[in-house]
Amino acid sequence: MKNKKKNQNKPRVVTTKTVMTMKHTGEKIAMLTAYDYLVAKYLDQVGIDIILVGDSLGNVVHGYETTLPVTIDDMIYHAKAVKRGVKNALIVVDMPFMSFQTSIDDAVRNAGRIMKEVGVGAVKLEGGEYIADIVRHLVKIGIPVMGHLGLTPQAINKFGTYEVRATTKAEAEELLRDAKILADAGIFALVLEKIPAELAKKVTQSIPIPTIGIGAGSHCDGQVLVVYDMLGLTEEFKPRFVRRYSELATTMRSAFQNFIADVKTQKFPLKKESY
Ligand code: KIV
């Protein structure tokens, strides 16, 4: 009895199985990105379900225009830092552009590196039907895969814009078909990015695994945001799907200004801040 009570207070360790179960229990899945130890630690401390080491780190950490330059070594470097801060959340790592599209062998080698060198729970791959064989193979050898459809930033040069995807009937049908194919291939969850809410609802009702939306409305089984966006650090980036829970860019600038002023006016350091 005592032991049972003790376990009830213990934070839940989230696995891909936990995430799949949440679709059926109706508990919404909360996912945010992280790229470093401290942010990952704070997310884990407050009970986030999934931490995504997204290749969005190319934009928000490294300042690239697109996610295309991000390498597998970049992903492993950041994922290792995240991993050191996490005890309970499921960590998912993005496979960057050209680390899996080239062949099943490359996908196995690179996903294998992420699993072996970092020790996370799953990888995420962007793409539809054309990656189904790769997904099937990774899942078969024991590497859980999260899918990603809709706005897939690695395909930016094909589409040319970051506008809402699958707005025509044909595109919506293709996305729904891709979602079913990926679910059949064995993905455990599917990110739906920037698609009409009604389409996301249809996909969510049509596949047995959870959908996690970003700009895909309220009917998905979970929601994800880029952590720097929701913290207000990427202040020029203002799509309607980003809700800002803080204004950290303003807070940071103000702290930096105060430090500069204190140094210039010799208000820092004080005696009590010296040895
Ligand atoms: O790279 C990323 O952060 C992502 C999320 C936007 C889902 O793929």
Side-chain angles (χ1 to χ4, degrees), residues 146-168:
M146 176 180 277
H148 184 158
L149 292 173
L151 198 170
T152 47
Q154 291 177 16
I156 182 59
N157 290 314
K158 178 174 160 196
F159 294 100
T161 79
Y162 288 99
E163 291 309 309
V164 182
R165 297 289 195 262
T167 51
T168 68

Side-chain angles (χ1 to χ4, degrees), residues 31 33 35 52 54-56 94 124 148 191 193 214 224 226:
M31 171 160 117
T33 65
Y35 319 105
L52 172 67
D55 62 353
S56 51
D94 251 337
K124 176 164 84 59
H148 184 158
V191 168
E193 181 164 352
I214 172 163
V224 55
V226 168

